[in-house]
Amino acid sequence: MVFALSHIILRKDMQIGKMARLGILCFCFVLRGADRTAAIKVDQAGYLPHSPKLALVSIEKGTAAASTTFALRSASTNGVVFQGKLSAASSDADSGDQLQTADFTQFNENGSFYIEVPGLGRSWEFTIGPDVFSRVYFLTMRGFYGQRCGTAVNLSPDFPQYRHAPCHLAGAYDASSGKTGERESARGWHDAGDYGRYVVNSGISTGTLLWTWELFGDRIKDISLHIPESGNGTPDILNEIRWNLDWMLSMQDSDGGVFHKQTSSRFCQFIMPEADQSTSLVIGTGQDPYKSSCATADLAAVAGIAARTFKPYDAPYADKCLRAAESAWRWLERYPNVTFRNPHGISTGAYGDAHCQDEILWAAAELWRTTNQPIYAKYFVENYAAYLDNIRADNPPSWSMLADFGLWSYVLGNGPDGKAVDAIKQRSIAAADAITQRTAANPYHVSLTSRDYIWGSNGVAANYSLQLLIANRIQPNPRYVETALDNIHYILGRNTFSLSWVTQVGEHSFQHPHHRPSAADGIAAPWPGLMSGGPNAGRQDQVMRRLVAAGTPPARSYVDETGAYSCNEIAINWNAPLVFTLAALVPK
Ligand code: G3I
Ligand code: 9MR
Ligand code: ZN
């Protein structure tokens, strides 16, 4: 052990959990003499051939001289396959790191490799190949299956230990819904590390996945997710989406409005889903009309997309979605401004959003695209201009801001208003150009600005990639795709912690998500395919405030601890843009 210890360079200030530390120690002990160092940062899934391949090397404080060379070695033979010079150092303001670049773009052979820097150590392993992201796509998309509520879940055959019994089957109306009595509780995805289901967050997540199908279906249509529906003739991504869409549809009241969320009254302990015996309450606004405009518009948009994507596979279901979307729209005509705050006695997530006009714009665009009806086109054309400024280089979509989705959908559907289309295209390209330039200039090659290290910053990074890939549809540009890929490299290990922020991806992935099943199942490793929220300069939980010093640089404001929900929870709206981006990167 002492021998192994001396060969591991773990940054002293790196905040990782005890189990992870032990795991790394044992791992390195087995691989006698291995000297993996967090100072060398690589995408631990890997790199695509014929695309830029950069590793980053941080200069440890107190080190006398920076290294000057690096070697790329084969993971199987340890032989050197490529050598190069490290770049001059540059400083990264957001992490405080001094970074040198190891550029091995020229090396284009497939295989498994690691980077070695003389005097410093070696990196974790990674792969070069055309399909390096296929398994990550599979795992992250299958992560949604693991979040299924209302049914037994079992990640066999590859992860048979990860399973839970049917959960949250008891539903009832909360008084805030204006109704009483028992109420269905069926299907849907657990939102995050908690077991709530929230229509607003389901909206962007499900919409993003439906767009994944629409934009990249040719790449993913044959990828089996090993879910109960696999093989039924419908692509698995749509099968998985439907599980949540069914729940969203069930949240629609008979007047067309949609209740905001279905959760227990407060967050449960860290127990398995089936052990949470609390009632899943349908929660409303507490006063007439009880449903919220954001939730209703989110359902209108998502069911509006589903009405076209499910049509070839299940026409009656597509019709059902369309009727739901249209009745939601009619409700919004009467109630465009009903916002949501947690009613008395409810303390689960609020997903409170003071502005629902952006969600309504999105619904209009999707309903126009599906139906071609003038009523939706008219609404869009009369309202889009106020949102043009929303398409910027520092404002990717988020659960509370869906205007971009509306604007882009209108363009992707070849909207007839030339003036609108030109303006949206122009903004989208200008923003994508600026994101691309900024990312290239950022020492970590991540699109995040200093102000983007908020709750769910990894989701922000993934949504920058989504924004870039949409721009690439509008005006193809390989630099947009490369930049989208840069954010994936950041998420999968090319970051200050050298940590892959997707569970069970890479040799050095985070271990302690704020995720109840991962903490309660008695298995050391977390459930696979889930992305951490990531650094959050806001430090909005007690564990972060205890373990991450005030004044810590934003990109370093992270700790791999279960209790640190403001930086280490997982959530469906963060996994979704990751899935979207990965789908663009898997081979056709
Ligand atoms: O946008 C502002 C930014 O302008 C400002 O500079 C920054 C400073 O802290 O704050 C940013 O807002 C943050 C916002 O997230 C960004 O989306 C808020 O501080 C922060 O409180 C807010 O956090 C939300 C969190 O719930 C608390 O309400 C997260 O977005 C949201 O993802 C998260 O969602 C929770 C659900 O409530 C419950 N289920 C789990 C889920 C994930 O943690
Ligand atoms: O587990 C909850 C997580 O899903 C939420 O994002 C977070 C913020 O709302 O709250 C978590 O629950 C904590 C609660 O807010 C305070 N007591 C401890 C709970 C578990 O850590
Ligand atoms: Zn459940």
Side-chain angles (χ1 to χ4, degrees):
M1 240 1 175
V2 176
F3 170 78
L5 250 177
S6 68
H7 282 74
I8 304 164
I9 304 165
L10 272 183
R11 298 162 66 134
K12 282 196 211 78
D13 54 344
M14 194 178 157
Q15 303 281 5
I16 56 172
K18 264 192 219 120
M19 285 303 290
R21 238 168 347 234
L22 198 67
I24 293 165
L25 287 186
C26 297
F27 186 55
C28 294
F29 187 62
V30 172
L31 294 172
R32 268 185 322 238
D35 50 357
R36 286 162 172 76
T37 169
I40 307 176
K41 297 124 194 328
V42 298
D43 181 329
Q44 292 164 36
Y47 299 84
L48 295 172
H50 312 293
S51 76
K53 300 178 202 72
L54 307 181
L56 297 171
V57 179
S58 62
I59 302 167
E60 301 298 293
K61 289 188 183 78
T63 309
S67 310
T68 54
T69 61
F70 71 94
L72 182 67
R73 286 182 183 268
S74 155
S76 49
T77 68
N78 293 312
V80 174
V81 295
F82 183 85
Q83 281 178 300
K85 285 209 169 81
L86 293 173
S87 74
S90 59
S91 29
D92 175 54
D94 295 340
S95 63
D97 290 344
Q98 292 284 323
L99 291 173
Q100 294 173 278
T101 304
D103 187 338
F104 52 104
T105 304
Q106 283 171 40
F107 183 80
N108 275 324
E109 283 164 39
N110 297 344
S112 291
F113 308 94
Y114 59 89
I115 298 280
E116 186 186 63
V117 175
L120 191 59
R122 56 160 285 190
S123 74
W124 278 278
E125 217 174 288
F126 59 85
T127 303
I128 298 176
D131 59 353
V132 283
F133 298 115
S134 299
R135 181 156 175 82
V136 197
Y137 167 80
F138 167 79
L139 290 175
T140 51
M141 186 56 225
R142 198 155 179 257
F144 287 87
Y145 168 60
Q147 294 293 101
R148 280 193 193 188
C149 186
T151 185
V153 163
N154 184 330
L155 296 190
S156 285
D158 38 355
F159 295 94
Q161 3 24 328
Y162 296 94
R163 55 176 185 264
H164 72 71
C167 55
H168 306 110
L169 298 170
Y173 285 108
D174 182 63
S176 61
S177 68
K179 302 188 176 199
T180 53
E182 289 184 5
R183 165 60 148 76
E184 181 182 39
S185 170
R187 305 193 169 211
W189 295 315
H190 299 141
D191 180 56
D194 64 320
Y195 296 137
R197 287 164 289 167
Y198 308 80
V199 174
V200 163
N201 204 41
S202 274
I204 184 168
S205 308
T206 313
T208 297
L209 295 180
L210 284 165
W211 276 20
T212 304
W213 168 250
E214 286 199 299
L215 271 73
F216 309 118
D218 51 344
R219 294 169 187 268
I220 55 176
K221 61 179 183 306
D222 296 328
I223 299 184
S224 168
L225 297 175
H226 300 224
I227 54 181
E229 298 81 6
S230 293
N232 67 358
T234 301
D236 267 356
I237 184 170
L238 291 180
N239 282 325
E240 190 51 52
I241 287 169
R242 184 169 175 163
W243 189 266
N244 196 57
L245 189 53
D246 283 348
W247 169 74
M248 290 182 76
L249 292 167
S250 82
M251 292 294 280
Q252 185 170 39
D253 202 2
S254 51
D255 65 357
V258 178
F259 290 108
H260 200 76
K261 63 176 177 176
Q262 186 166 19
T263 73
S264 45
S265 56
R266 51 194 161 87
F267 294 118
C268 70
Q269 298 299 304
F270 267 60
I271 52 180
M272 289 303 281
E274 65 272 29
D276 176 18
Q277 294 295 328
S278 60
T279 305
S280 288
L281 301 169
V282 172
I283 294 167
T285 61
Q287 55 187 346
D288 190 57
Y290 300 104
K291 281 74 66 177
S292 77
S293 303
C294 287
T296 305
D298 270 307
L299 176 80
V302 169
I305 312 174
R308 55 179 192 265
T309 52
F310 279 92
K311 196 155 205 169
Y313 303 102
D314 187 342
Y317 185 68
D319 280 350
K320 178 184 170 182
C321 290
L322 185 56
R323 283 194 304 275
E326 289 178 326
S327 85
W329 181 268
R330 286 192 292 275
W331 190 91
L332 289 164
E333 289 178 329
R334 290 174 64 197
Y335 305 109
N337 281 316
V338 187
T339 53
F340 179 87
R341 282 173 46 197
N342 260 343
H344 183 71
I346 302 292
S347 59
T348 48
Y351 286 115
D353 178 350
H355 306 281
C356 303
Q357 304 308 306
D358 51 315
E359 282 81 1
I360 296 175
L361 188 76
W362 181 32
E366 298 296 4
L367 274 165
W368 162 75
R369 216 172 143 186
T370 298
T371 67
N372 214 13
Q373 291 296 309
I375 176 182
Y376 307 117
K378 181 167 182 286
Y379 183 92
F380 184 87
V381 170
E382 283 172 2
N383 291 280
Y384 79 90
Y387 286 98
L388 283 175
D389 272 350
N390 207 72
I391 303 180
R392 293 199 310 269
D394 60 354
N395 191 37
S398 67
W399 62 260
S400 63
M401 187 29 96
L402 276 309
D404 291 1
F405 271 47
L407 298 168
W408 290 330
S409 202
Y410 190 75
V411 168
L412 294 175
N414 296 316
D417 188 294
K419 193 170 151 229
V421 169
D422 287 348
I424 296 163
K425 283 188 173 175
Q426 188 264 320
R427 304 265 172 161
S428 301
I429 298 311
D433 286 339
I435 295 169
T436 298
Q437 282 161 25
R438 181 178 76 226
T439 307
N442 178 295
Y444 271 105
H445 301 284
V446 66
S447 299
L448 297 172
T449 70
S450 305
R451 287 199 307 277
D452 283 331
Y453 293 91
I454 58 172
W455 194 315
S457 66
N458 284 341
V460 178
N463 272 315
Y464 274 121
S465 292
L466 178 145
Q467 181 171 359
L468 288 158
L469 291 167
I470 299 285
N472 184 59
R473 274 300 158 117
I474 293 172
Q475 184 179 295
N477 183 338
R479 296 262 288 139
Y480 299 164
V481 182
E482 278 169 17
T483 308
L485 177 51
D486 271 330
N487 293 315
I488 297 294
H489 291 327
Y490 166 85
I491 289 165
L492 296 180
R494 205 174 64 186
N495 54 60
T496 185
F497 300 100
S498 250
L499 206 54
S500 164
W501 271 311
V502 177
T503 51
Q504 305 224 18
V505 171
E507 283 189 318
H508 187 228
S509 58
F510 83 113
Q511 296 296 312
H512 305 285
H514 185 85
H515 181 242
R516 281 165 173 74
S518 292
D521 64 4
I523 306 168
W527 283 51
L530 303 172
M531 182 170 77
S532 167
N536 176 10
R539 299 184 309 140
Q540 285 147 302
D541 66 75
Q542 287 189 27
V543 175
M544 273 203 90
R545 284 193 291 272
R546 182 157 51 79
L547 296 175
V548 179
T552 298
R556 293 193 59 81
S557 296
Y558 171 79
V559 59
D560 186 10
E561 289 280 343
T562 304
Y565 53 78
S566 74
C567 70
N568 214 28
E569 190 160 2
I570 64 96
I572 56 172
N573 64 313
W574 305 330
N575 253 55
L578 178 61
V579 163
F580 180 96
T581 307
L582 292 165
L585 300 171
V586 303
K588 267 191 216 175

